[in-house]
Amino acid sequence: MRPSERPLITADAIARRVTELGDAISTDYADRDLVMVVVLKGGLFFAADLARAIRRPMALEYVRARSYDGQRSTGAVEVAVVPERPLAGAHLLVVEDILDTGRTTQTVLDMLADMSPASLALCTLLDKPVRRIVPVSANYVGFTIDDFFVVGYGLDFNERYRELPSIHVLE
Ligand code: IMP
Ligand code: MG
């Protein structure tokens, strides 16, 4: 198994889309200070670029959720890292690498909703809607893709390939 030679989504295309998302989020949060909740590890690269494309005051928090063993979803989701401070009354924007079955994201959203935020929104770089099992949808989507297993720009296969600048299909 290795990444396709040709990217599915190039680093340039990602950068352009991140700028667009940053503009949209800056407009939507014009009168709200936001807390970006980065879902580790996959959301790291996207969140780092997106944060710099949002021209609004923000704070960062991290959560760590895992549901994947290689290419197979085990169904079990573990939230291993939780926010360091209470988030009651905060405007939360969860930043995810990919929305697949929806199990991971739903678990994260449920945990954050329990903290009584003022608002809770979701931004995902990639969306694979045909794979959805739990009916979760994102407020902001970078790219909608077909049912490919992809790596790069934060996305891994058994912890490999996160560092690739573009997104590739694993073949
Ligand atoms: P879900 O809980 O099924 O939505 O899975 C979400 C998690 O599975 C993501 O945060 C990724 O870590 C992983 N995942 C799902 N699809 C892919 C993929 O195509 N490439 C790499 N990781 C993926
Ligand atoms: Mg993963």
Side-chain angles (χ1 to χ4, degrees):
M1 300 287 254
R2 54 192 180 77
S4 58
E5 201 160 312
R6 268 193 46 189
L8 178 67
I9 307 171
T10 64
D12 282 349
I14 295 169
R16 283 194 298 272
R17 188 70 186 119
V18 167
T19 301
E20 291 173 0
L21 290 170
D23 288 345
I25 293 166
S26 301
T27 303
D28 293 351
Y29 287 82
D31 52 7
R32 293 178 287 169
D33 287 2
L34 61 92
V35 177
M36 192 184 257
V37 182
V38 182
V39 183
L40 299 173
K41 304 174 185 173
L44 177 68
F45 292 69
F46 176 44
D49 287 339
L50 183 64
R52 287 174 286 185
I54 298 173
R55 300 169 312 281
R56 292 285 312 145
M58 71 168 75
L60 283 179
E61 290 293 333
Y62 302 94
V63 298
R64 170 94 173 97
R66 276 174 41 90
S67 76
Y68 252 68
D69 177 21
Q71 281 199 48
R72 265 174 319 117
S73 177
T74 60
V77 178
E78 170 193 49
V79 181
V81 175
V82 297
E84 286 178 333
R85 59 195 182 95
L87 296 173
H91 295 283
L92 304 183
L93 179 66
V94 177
V95 179
E96 268 277 24
D97 54 357
I98 191 163
L99 204 43
D100 187 36
T101 66
R103 286 194 187 104
T104 309
T105 309
Q106 191 58 57
T107 304
V108 169
L109 291 175
D110 288 348
M111 183 202 62
L112 294 171
D114 283 348
M115 300 178 110
S116 307
S119 67
L120 181 56
L122 172 65
C123 178
T124 187
L125 175 66
L126 302 177
D127 189 6
K128 289 200 273 195
V130 297
R131 294 264 306 161
R132 201 78 86 252
I133 292 172
V134 177
V136 38
S137 60
N139 304 79
Y140 306 94
V141 176
F143 302 91
T144 299
I145 63 171
D146 292 331
D147 187 10
F148 298 122
F149 194 88
V150 291
V151 295
Y153 197 65
L155 291 140
D156 74 303
F157 173 60
N158 289 339
E159 296 302 329
R160 290 194 64 192
Y161 310 124
R162 292 192 197 275
E163 73 283 6
L164 299 178
S166 300
I167 293 170
H168 303 255
V169 175
L170 193 73
E171 341 173 288

